[in-house]
């Protein structure tokens, strides 16, 4: 499986999906709270028992404690109390990291890594204009060493951690190119905001659109890509949502609307049996009627699943790959005056066919296993199956 330096999949997926990675609905501002199923709780908590624990810690703990640490611990504990993996409290610093990750903003060199069939760390592609590309790093370069340490046996996750670092700092990579040429590149890290949408034209005039996460820039970039596909008169489209852990619901609606006629249902949000909101296509269906394949895998979650379900259930796309992650909850991001945030589950979302996919995922029309050599590479059987479907 690919680990993505530019999207921080190690963090966004393992930390993100595992604890609720911000697959956020933005339609409900704090202050317009929904009628609560917890109205039986008191309006304020009795903190007497908490103060007993506090006094015991203060009087007996052999170590340094700060008031901020204790208060943050209480807030984290409150968010953890429901046992919902998608409800979480963020300190101001954690909130900044979360929003940076959601919008593909990070400090690093700007390159995608994978483990190739030989077990080596291989560059999929550097981001144009990012430090990696400027320093001469190329696709299919093998990273043999990081800061003088051999990468033999090193996982992609570990390599990501070692290559990333503060903007302005340097990392030295030992590179093997074309299996023969040994190079050493010293790259200065920078703050990077990577685009969430990448497109190209495949052989046979097939438009390829890959969305890494549903971020602030996804709507505009996907619309631009759709217009280019229309201009190029593509005969088919591959929408690659593999390794995409989700993102903003509104971005998923905008992307789905590129294929769906106005008022086609995209999803419904429900709290119990009450429908909170129905999202429908907005009428900008530039790609309507063009044969389309959506690629998904076990990392495709939430907003990715919204888009996949909307296109499939409305007859706009065929789905290939592996069963998706299965995150069918809607969350609201509540901002506090000190910069902290609460990400809280407020509802469940349902596909146009009426299904909620939470813990179930979406099963593709055709299941194709990943080769393990990296997505988008020549040995990518899922991509090959999509091309074959569109050219048959």
């Amino acid at each position: 499986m690919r680990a993505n330096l530019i999207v921080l999949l190690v963090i966004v997926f393992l930390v993100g999906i595992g604890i609720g990675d911000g697959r956020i609905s933005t339609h409900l501002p704090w202050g317009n709270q929904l009628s609560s199923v917890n109205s039986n709780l008191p309006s304020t908590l009795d903190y007497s028992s908490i103060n007993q624990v506090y006094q015991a810690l203060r009087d007996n703990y052999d170590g340094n404690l700060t008031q901020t640490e204790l208060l943050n611990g209480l807030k984290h504990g409150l968010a953890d109390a429901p046992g919902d993996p998608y409800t979480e409290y963020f300190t101001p610093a954690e909130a900044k990291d979360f929003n940076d990750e959601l919008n593909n903003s990070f400090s690093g060199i700007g390159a995608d890594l994978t483990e190739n069939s030989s077990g080596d760390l291989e560059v999929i592609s550097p981001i144009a204009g990012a430090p990696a590309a400027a320093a001469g790093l190329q696709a299919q370069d093998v990273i043999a060493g990081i800061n003088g340490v051999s990468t033999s046996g090193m996982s992609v996750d570990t390599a990501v951690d070692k290559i990333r670092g503060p903007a302005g700092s340097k990392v030295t990579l030992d590179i093997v190119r074309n299996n023969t040429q040994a190079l050493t590149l010293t790259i200065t890290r920078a703050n990077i905001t990577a685009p969430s949408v990448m497109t190209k034209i495949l052989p046979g005039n097939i438009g390829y659109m890959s969305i890494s996460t549903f971020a602030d820039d996804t709507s505009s970039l996907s619309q631009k890509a759709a217009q280019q596909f229309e201009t190029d008169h593509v005969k088919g489209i591959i929408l690659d949502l593999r390794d995409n852990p989700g993102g903003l619901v509104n971005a998923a609606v905008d992307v789905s609307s590129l294929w769906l006629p106005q008022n086609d249902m995209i999803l419904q949000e429900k709290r119990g049996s009450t429908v909170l909101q129905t999202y429908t296509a907005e009428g900008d269906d530039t790609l309507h009627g063009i044969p389309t394949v959506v690629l998904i895998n076990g990392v495709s979650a939430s907003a990715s699943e919204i888009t996949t379900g909307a296109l499939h259930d409305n007859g706009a796309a065929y789905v290939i790959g592996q069963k998706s992650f299965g995150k069918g909850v809607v969350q609201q991001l509540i901002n506090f005056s000190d910069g902290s945030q609460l990400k809280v589950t407020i509802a469940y979302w349902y596909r146009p066919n009426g299904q909620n996919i939470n813990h179930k995922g979406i099963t593709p029309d055709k299941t194709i296993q990943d080769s393990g050599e990296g997505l988008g590479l020549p040995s990518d059987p899922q991509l090959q199956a999509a091309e074959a479907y569109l050219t048959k």
Side-chain angles (χ1 to χ4, degrees):
M1 296 297 293
R2 180 181 69 175
N4 192 331
L5 285 178
I6 67 171
V7 189
L8 310 181
L9 278 180
V10 174
I11 298 173
V12 172
F13 181 64
L14 294 180
V15 176
I17 284 180
I19 57 177
D21 61 336
R23 309 308 120 196
I24 300 299
S25 173
T26 58
H27 74 275
L28 181 69
W30 188 37
N32 293 333
Q33 292 93 339
L34 300 165
S35 58
S36 176
V37 296
N38 300 300
S39 56
N40 60 312
L41 289 175
S43 58
T44 59
L45 289 175
D46 180 355
Y47 289 101
S48 58
S49 61
I50 295 173
N51 278 322
Q52 291 175 6
V53 177
Y54 167 67
Q55 292 292 340
L57 271 174
R58 189 186 70 168
D59 296 342
N60 296 284
Y61 179 68
D62 183 15
N64 294 321
L65 294 172
T66 69
Q67 181 172 315
T68 298
E69 289 172 339
L70 292 171
L71 288 172
N72 284 338
L74 286 171
K75 295 169 186 177
H76 281 119
L78 278 172
D80 291 343
D84 173 20
Y86 303 119
T87 293
E88 186 182 14
Y89 169 78
F90 296 132
T91 65
E94 291 166 345
K96 181 182 184 303
D97 289 343
F98 168 78
N99 285 285
D100 284 348
E101 290 159 14
L102 183 63
N103 287 299
N104 296 347
S105 178
F106 64 97
S107 175
I109 66 171
D112 287 344
L113 287 186
T114 189
E115 181 179 316
N116 64 21
S117 58
S118 301
D120 297 323
L121 296 176
E122 184 174 301
V123 177
I124 297 175
S125 63
I127 301 173
L137 195 68
Q138 297 179 9
Q140 298 184 328
D141 281 350
V142 169
I143 299 179
I146 303 170
N147 289 330
V149 177
S150 171
T151 61
S152 178
M154 184 181 294
S155 70
V156 176
D157 296 355
T158 300
V160 169
D161 290 339
K162 291 181 178 297
I163 292 174
R164 293 188 65 244
S169 63
K170 298 179 184 296
V171 60
T172 298
L173 303 181
D174 298 319
I175 304 298
V176 177
R177 183 169 294 166
N178 300 324
N179 297 319
T180 56
Q181 185 180 7
L183 302 169
T184 298
L185 300 178
T186 297
I187 305 173
T188 302
R189 303 176 178 103
N191 292 320
I192 299 168
T193 299
S196 64
V197 179
M198 187 275 288
T199 62
K200 58 185 175 182
I201 301 296
L202 300 177
N205 199 28
I206 295 174
Y208 174 85
M209 182 191 305
S210 173
I211 302 179
S212 58
T213 186
F214 285 83
D216 286 338
D217 65 350
T218 305
S219 297
S220 61
L221 291 178
S222 61
Q223 185 179 52
K224 181 178 178 181
Q227 291 168 348
Q228 187 61 53
F229 288 166
E230 183 182 39
T231 299
D232 292 339
H233 302 289
V234 297
K235 66 173 294 184
I237 297 170
I238 297 172
L239 176 61
D240 194 344
L241 300 180
R242 294 174 297 175
D243 283 5
N244 181 328
L248 300 172
V249 171
N250 292 347
V253 171
D254 289 342
V255 170
S256 301
S257 296
L258 295 173
W259 278 267
L260 302 178
Q262 190 169 14
N263 297 324
D264 272 12
M265 182 186 293
I266 294 174
L267 78 150
Q268 277 192 331
E269 295 179 4
K270 294 182 181 180
R271 196 170 221 201
S273 60
T274 301
V275 176
L276 302 179
Q277 180 155 341
T278 299
Y279 291 86
T280 58
E282 298 169 348
D284 185 20
D285 54 342
T286 306
L287 304 178
H288 177 64
I290 301 176
T292 297
V293 171
V294 178
L295 294 177
I296 59 172
N297 62 10
V299 184
S300 306
S302 198
S304 292
E305 293 170 304
I306 289 172
T307 301
T308 302
L311 297 187
H312 179 272
D313 294 353
N314 285 290
Y318 187 77
V319 181
I320 292 177
Q322 296 160 285
K323 186 168 74 171
S324 63
F325 180 79
K327 181 173 183 286
V329 299
V330 180
Q331 293 170 281
Q332 177 66 26
L333 196 60
I334 297 172
N335 299 307
F336 300 113
S337 59
D338 64 350
S340 62
Q341 294 176 323
L342 177 68
K343 179 162 58 64
V344 57
T345 297
I346 61 169
Y348 285 79
W349 64 263
Y350 291 77
R351 293 169 57 173
N353 67 6
Q355 293 181 351
N356 177 266
I357 55 85
N358 207 42
H359 305 306
K360 299 176 184 176
I362 295 175
T363 300
D365 294 308
K366 184 173 185 178
T367 298
I368 302 287
Q369 297 300 313
D370 181 9
S371 68
E373 296 187 19
L375 307 183
L377 295 180
S379 57
D380 184 343
Q382 296 165 342
L383 180 62
Q384 292 169 358
E387 291 180 277
Y389 176 83
L390 292 171
T391 56
K392 66 182 179 181

